Amino acid sequence: MSERGSLEIKNVGKSYEVDRSELKVLENINLKVSPGEFISIVGPSGCGKSTLLRLVVGLDDNFGGDILLDGKRISGTSLQRGIVFQDHRLLPWLTLEENIDLALENSGWSREKRRQAVADHIALVGLKGFETVYPHQLSGGMSQRAAIARGLVFKPEVLLLDEPLGALDALTRLRLQEELLRIWKTEKVTMLLVTHDVEEAIYLSDRIVVMHSGPGRVADDIRIDLPWPRDRASHEFADVRREILRSMDAYAPATAKAA
Ligand code: ADP
Ligand code: MG
C-alpha cells in the first residue's frame, strides 16, 4: 500500500494549434515523484504548468511521451488522480456534502460507504457543521477547503493542485497552508502543487521544480532539506528562497528580461 502513488512523467511534450500553426507549450518534461512526496512546480505565467497538470489528471490525451502512475500508463481521468483548481468549481445548486458526494458518482461504493467518506472528509478539512450549506454561503477559504475535500474523498493516490490558494487573502492562505500540511501527513497522498508563491512552495515541499517558458521545460529540481515545521523567518529559509528565485531568473535585470 505504501508504494502507491509513484508518478513518472517521461519526455512529455505538448503543442496546441493556434491560428493554424503549432504552439509548442511543453518540451521534454521529465519528472519522477515518489509515493507520498510533496512537489511544487513554480515558473512564470504561461510556461505550461496548468497544461502539465491537465495532462497528468487526464483531461487531455493529445501529447507526446508517457505519464505513468505506479508504472502504468494513465489514460483519461480517473478517481486515482484528484484535482483542485484555483476557482473551486462547486456546483451552486448543491449543498457542500452533495458537492463532495458528486465526486463519488462513479466510485461504485455503497450509499453508506459514500456517506461515511463524505462525512470524514468534511471533518478532515475542518468544515464539520457546514454539510447542508450552499456554496454561496461559504467564504473563499471554506470553498477551497471543500474543493480539497472533494479532491481527496476517493482517497486518490495523487492530488494535483493548480494554484489552489492563489485567490485567497494572505492570512487565509497561511492557514490553508497549515491545513494542507496536516492533510498531507494524515492522508499520505502524493502532492503535486502548482503555485506562483515561492514561499508557499518552500514552506510545503520536499522538492521544488522550477520551469522556464518558451517552450515550457524543467529548468531545475531542488530538494528542500529544511526541518519541519519550517520557519519562514529563518536564514536558511531565506537562503533557499534566494536559490529558487535565482533559478527562476527573477534577479535578471529588467532590461535584459524585456529583450
Ligand atoms: P501556466 O499555467 O504556466 O500559466 P498554461 O499551461 O495555462 O500556463 O499555458 C501555457 C501556454 O499554452 C500559454 O501560452 C497559453 O496561452 C497556451 N494555452 C493554454 N491552453 C491552451 C489552449 N487550449 N489552446 C491554445 N493555447 C493554449
Ligand atoms: Mg496556470
Side-chain angles (χ1 to χ4, degrees):
M1 280 295 276
S2 61
E3 281 311 286
R4 282 172 81 236
S6 79
L7 180 69
E8 198 173 348
I9 298 171
K10 282 166 87 171
N11 292 321
V12 163
K14 167 75 188 168
S15 298
Y16 289 113
E17 200 183 302
V18 178
D19 298 334
R20 297 188 180 204
S21 63
E22 201 180 306
L23 174 70
K24 202 175 217 185
V25 174
L26 295 174
E27 187 174 65
N28 197 24
I29 305 282
N30 285 289
L31 192 59
K32 261 189 175 176
V33 187
S34 303
E37 223 176 355
F38 197 132
I39 301 232
S40 290
I41 301 177
V42 297
S45 161
C47 75
K49 304 179 297 295
S50 295
T51 299
L52 183 61
L53 282 204
R54 282 175 58 81
L55 301 184
V56 176
V57 82
L59 288 167
D60 184 349
D61 286 333
N62 183 17
F63 63 93
D66 276 316
I67 300 177
L68 309 172
L69 183 64
D70 297 332
K72 278 206 227 68
R73 196 173 181 183
I74 63 151
S75 107
T77 56
S78 151
L79 291 169
Q80 293 174 315
R81 283 165 274 131
I83 184 148
V84 180
F85 297 100
Q86 175 168 356
D87 61 33
H88 54 72
R89 302 184 187 186
L90 300 173
L91 299 177
W93 57 88
L94 296 180
T95 64
L96 169 60
E97 61 186 2
E98 288 166 347
N99 262 292
I100 295 171
D101 184 62
L102 195 61
L104 295 173
E105 213 171 30
N106 299 319
S107 64
W109 288 2
S110 69
R111 186 181 289 264
E112 177 51 27
K113 189 169 180 189
R114 280 169 70 156
R115 200 196 55 73
Q116 190 62 53
V118 170
D120 287 350
H121 286 82
I122 288 177
L124 178 74
V125 298
L127 286 178
K128 229 172 152 177
F130 295 92
E131 291 80 357
T132 57
V133 151
Y134 286 88
H136 75 271
Q137 297 169 284
L138 298 170
S139 68
M142 291 162 87
S143 300
Q144 282 313 75
R145 286 170 190 268
I148 293 166
R150 186 181 50 188
L152 284 170
V153 69
F154 186 72
K155 299 263 173 212
E157 296 175 42
V158 181
L159 187 64
L160 306 157
L161 303 128
D162 194 355
E163 307 203 16
L165 313 184
L168 303 175
D169 64 87
L171 190 59
T172 309
R173 197 180 317 150
L174 293 185
R175 290 215 179 105
L176 273 175
Q177 288 171 5
E178 296 299 335
E179 292 287 301
L180 273 182
L181 273 187
R182 185 180 56 77
I183 289 167
W184 171 53
K185 283 175 185 159
T186 342
E187 301 288 291
K188 300 184 173 64
V189 61
T190 305
M191 297 272 209
L192 196 55
L193 168 77
V194 166
T195 177
H196 60 255
D197 181 342
V198 172
E199 261 181 40
E200 177 170 291
I202 302 170
Y203 192 69
L204 298 174
S205 316
D206 292 313
R207 268 163 66 202
I208 298 181
V209 171
V210 177
M211 286 179 65
H212 284 183
S213 53
R217 59 198 182 275
V218 173
D220 231 331
D221 188 337
I222 299 166
R223 182 161 293 283
I224 311 298
D225 282 324
L226 299 175
W228 307 91
R230 291 182 174 162
D231 177 3
R232 296 170 208 266
S234 71
H235 287 301
E236 293 78 8
F237 198 101
D239 288 344
V240 175
R241 186 166 177 276
R242 196 172 305 114
E243 182 187 354
I244 307 283
L245 287 174
R246 192 169 286 139
S247 167
M248 290 172 79
D249 215 12
Y251 288 143
T255 45
K257 282 178 81 168

